[in-house]
Amino acid sequence: MAITAINVRNQFKGKIKEIVRGDVVSEVDVDTPAGIVTSVITTRSVDELGLKPGVEVVALVKSTEVSIARIGG
């Protein structure tokens, strides 16, 4: 199955930099032109998707809330 369209607008193409495996969930760091994007997904999904460092992926970010924090003076 190939995805031909998706409603998620925040998409970051990159390569997996590191995976920190856990028994149930794992952290997946994706190196993108915008910086590192980290996803926490099930370890089963890591295995089923064949994820490992160097694999090209797209990090899809969908959120119902975006928070803003003021920085500086």
Side-chain angles (χ1 to χ4, degrees):
M1 176 173 86
I3 296 173
T4 59
I6 192 165
N7 70 327
V8 178
R9 298 292 177 239
N10 299 312
Q11 301 178 21
F12 302 92
K13 185 176 180 181
K15 288 186 179 182
I16 295 178
K17 181 177 182 178
E18 180 181 12
I19 297 174
V20 179
R21 292 180 64 91
D23 291 337
V24 178
V25 294
S26 296
E27 294 178 31
V28 180
D29 290 342
V30 180
D31 192 7
T32 76
I36 300 294
V37 175
T38 301
S39 177
V40 176
I41 63 174
T42 64
T43 301
R44 178 182 288 182
S45 291
V46 170
D47 295 338
E48 289 177 355
L49 292 170
L51 301 181
K52 58 185 176 183
V55 170
E56 284 193 354
V57 295
V58 176
L60 306 169
V61 180
K62 180 146 181 150
S63 176
T64 57
E65 178 181 332
V66 176
S67 300
I68 302 293
R70 183 176 171 182
I71 57 174

